[in-house]
Amino acid sequence: MLDRIVQGTVPRKHHIAFRDAEGRLLYEEAFTRAGFDGPYTLVYHRHRPHATHAAAVRHGWTLPQAAPPRALLKRHYRTQDLRTPAGPSASARVPLLFNADVTIGLATPTVEDPVYLSNGDGDDLFFVFEGGGLLRSPLGDLRFAQDDYVYVPKGLLHRFVPDPGPQRWLSLELSGGVHLPTQWRNEAGQLRMDAPYSHRDFRRVEWKGPVDEGIRELLVKRAGAFHAFRFDASPLDVVGWDGAVYPFAFPILNFQPRAGLVHLPPTWHGTFAARGALVCSFVPRVVDFHPEAIPCPYPHASVDVDEILFYARGEFTSRRGVGPGSISHHPAGVMHGPHPGAYEGSIGTRATNELAVMLDCYLPLAATPAALAVEDPGYQESFVG
Ligand SMILES: [Fe+2]
């Protein structure tokens, strides 16, 4: 959640009678988190938003299942080799790694969603490393493009309309919800002046008026299963809303990286926080400026977190054999670091053009059979020499 905003028409006070120009009573929906204790948005509908029929489930993606237990090794999965399903975002998603807090996968929609979708299992955070399109919701539309993070709140009805051309989105389903790291906020809730982004760096959903697309079907993911409902009227019947829970996009290149005299740990690149996970953005930047600095990361074992690195673009100076679309998984406690020669070779370098998304995950991640099918079997040995 970013900040509280108001779009469209809302009554002068919450929870009071609100009527349209013809005198018809409108219906207030309280879209809340943490019961009624967390961030919320009040949404004003023309129709009763809870009037739904049970319906048959016609969409959904393959839900994550763990492959049999394996040795504790450094892993490299090549999503560029993944056989991705065609179809709308409501079915074209492949989970690769998961724990109770986060499911990491790839979304590759080829057509627009013919139904609305609501993910009741967590917030969705996509990183669009190829493609772009439109997210439509009762709160409005959100355009997004390559290199954008796209945030979709848990339980928000929405659908995707991808642009023509290939779509490859890193998908992160975060069951505990996504927020901006608290250290980037001041006591008024503003992003601090020394935060790595400002409020203006985010693109918020834009409400333009009630919409009837003729779509009445809603697919709900909840408790690891898909369910369906049907409306009698368009659920995009909103005349206005007021709140802090809404979709937004954040272009990763708006992230303001830091460089230090010597190497800074990844927490300085923290972009989004969630229960059991921290999402970091590695963007092109100058590197450490001590004359004897070693810009490549020091070998480490991260005994408390499984580390995921998704390589989007650029030269990955510390690793070889990885390319755009690669995901490395370094389990907690397994020592890792630069590939042979990279540590020494980094001395004296002044900049890096790498673009990557990193995840620290506190619970161990399990791989799915789909991940195993695109695993690079030589990765563990590639660190030896
Ligand atoms: Fe690491």
Side-chain angles (χ1 to χ4, degrees):
M1 291 84 184
L2 282 174
D3 34 34
R4 174 246 171 182
I5 56 176
V6 180
Q7 296 196 359
T9 309
V10 299
R12 69 183 188 282
K13 184 174 172 59
H14 65 183
H15 314 328
I16 64 171
F18 180 37
R19 298 179 188 277
D20 65 13
E22 288 74 42
R24 287 178 299 228
L25 191 64
L26 299 162
Y27 296 92
E28 182 188 79
E29 172 198 0
F31 181 47
T32 68
R33 301 299 289 263
F36 296 93
D37 290 342
Y40 64 92
T41 289
L42 299 177
V43 191
Y44 296 90
H45 293 267
R46 285 178 167 167
H47 304 99
R48 296 163 69 237
H50 52 304
T52 54
H53 306 275
V57 177
R58 299 190 300 134
H59 300 276
W61 56 88
T62 303
L63 295 166
Q65 284 202 323
R70 299 183 298 156
L72 189 66
L73 299 177
K74 293 185 271 283
R75 305 283 183 180
H76 169 207
Y77 304 103
R78 291 177 46 85
T79 73
Q80 49 275 55
D81 297 338
L82 202 62
R83 288 171 58 124
T84 53
S89 87
S91 56
R93 196 189 293 199
V94 181
L96 298 169
L97 295 155
F98 68 101
N99 62 25
D101 295 321
V102 57
T103 300
I104 301 159
L106 204 71
T108 57
T110 53
V111 295
E112 66 182 88
D113 284 310
V115 299
Y116 298 113
L117 171 66
S118 164
N119 191 344
D121 283 340
D123 286 352
D124 275 316
L125 184 66
F126 298 97
F127 175 66
V128 178
F129 67 100
E130 185 176 16
L134 179 81
L135 168 73
R136 176 155 288 168
S137 81
L139 306 181
D141 287 354
L142 177 69
R143 288 246 17 126
F144 58 92
Q146 180 180 312
D147 295 345
D148 281 351
Y149 287 104
V150 178
Y151 167 72
V152 186
K154 175 182 182 176
L156 181 72
L157 180 151
H158 68 279
R159 73 184 190 100
F160 281 106
V161 182
D163 290 338
Q167 303 286 337
R168 294 179 86 82
W169 312 344
L170 178 70
S171 71
L172 308 174
E173 182 187 289
L174 297 144
S175 61
V178 172
H179 60 274
L180 304 189
T182 51
Q183 69 265 29
W184 305 143
R185 301 265 193 191
N186 63 25
E187 67 271 23
Q190 274 180 309
L191 292 168
R192 292 170 54 96
M193 275 214 269
D194 60 355
Y197 34 47
S198 77
H199 290 268
R200 285 177 244 168
D201 287 323
F202 293 79
R203 207 164 53 252
R204 292 152 186 79
V205 69
E206 286 184 34
W207 178 90
K208 296 201 175 90
V211 177
D212 186 350
E213 304 185 288
I215 298 172
R216 300 289 184 266
E217 194 173 328
L218 171 63
L219 178 73
V220 172
K221 180 172 178 287
R222 175 66 181 151
F226 288 96
H227 314 268
F229 298 90
R230 191 179 73 257
F231 295 95
D232 286 329
S234 172
L236 307 190
D237 61 344
V238 170
V239 301
W241 58 271
D242 174 352
V245 185
Y246 51 84
F248 62 78
F250 175 67
I252 193 171
L253 295 175
N254 280 1
F255 188 84
Q256 298 158 196
R258 281 181 169 80
L261 183 66
V262 292
H263 188 79
L264 295 173
T267 34
W268 280 100
H269 305 276
T271 310
F272 300 103
R275 187 189 69 206
L278 178 69
V279 180
C280 301
S281 302
F282 291 127
V283 300
R285 61 193 183 279
V286 297
V287 294
D288 325 317
F289 46 88
H290 188 286
E292 296 174 279
I294 299 177
C296 258
Y298 21 71
H300 57 279
S302 279
V303 296
D304 289 321
V305 294
D306 274 25
E307 291 184 1
I308 293 295
L309 200 55
F310 174 79
Y311 299 85
R313 216 166 47 239
E315 295 293 317
F316 305 107
T317 47
S318 66
R319 301 275 155 72
R320 62 188 190 208
V322 299
S326 286
I327 293 177
S328 65
H329 174 203
H330 296 156
V334 173
M335 185 81 84
H336 59 276
H339 267 113
Y343 189 76
E344 302 84 340
S346 73
I347 299 171
T349 58
R350 293 285 168 263
T352 173
N353 67 354
E354 69 177 5
L355 185 69
V357 174
M358 187 189 136
L359 253 90
D360 278 347
C361 302
Y362 279 80
L363 296 175
L365 289 160
T368 66
L372 268 55
V374 293
E375 184 172 3
D376 164 13
Y379 188 64
Q380 171 76 23
E381 281 300 311
S382 69
F383 287 84
V384 178

